Amino acid sequence: MFYQSYEYVDRLITLGTPHYGSPLADLAFSDKGRHLAKLLAYNDLGTYQMQTGYMQKMREKIDVMAKKNQ
């Protein structure tokens, strides 16, 4: 995962990044919002990965790596 690149990163600064996911991404892949997201071309991999459940699973892995490197 991440090609072991975290070993080479000392600090990372982000501004306004939804590290816990986005409820709008959840809506884009819900039964109610899927059609609209497709019309707006927001049903891509980037939007999929910003769903709150996906980000929670990713953070479980990333947060452990960050703690190991402190």
Side-chain angles (χ1 to χ4, degrees):
M1 180 177 208
F2 307 109
Y3 307 102
Q4 304 301 322
S5 59
Y6 62 90
E7 298 173 4
Y8 303 104
V9 177
D10 183 45
R11 289 192 172 100
L12 176 67
I13 298 171
T14 61
L15 301 173
T17 307
H19 294 290
Y20 293 94
S22 169
L24 289 175
D26 293 342
L27 179 62
F29 285 90
S30 70
D31 290 336
K32 293 181 180 181
R34 185 173 282 123
H35 181 69
L36 179 59
K38 188 174 183 179
L39 287 174
L40 297 172
Y42 282 114
N43 60 343
D44 58 7
L45 180 60
T47 306
Y48 179 82
Q49 291 177 341
M50 289 309 301
Q51 294 179 85
T52 55
Y54 188 95
M55 290 298 290
Q56 180 181 0
K57 290 178 184 177
M58 188 181 81
R59 286 192 59 89
E60 288 172 3
K61 296 175 184 177
I62 292 174
D63 292 345
V64 170
M65 288 187 286
K67 289 178 184 177
K68 285 182 182 178
N69 289 328
Q70 287 181 351

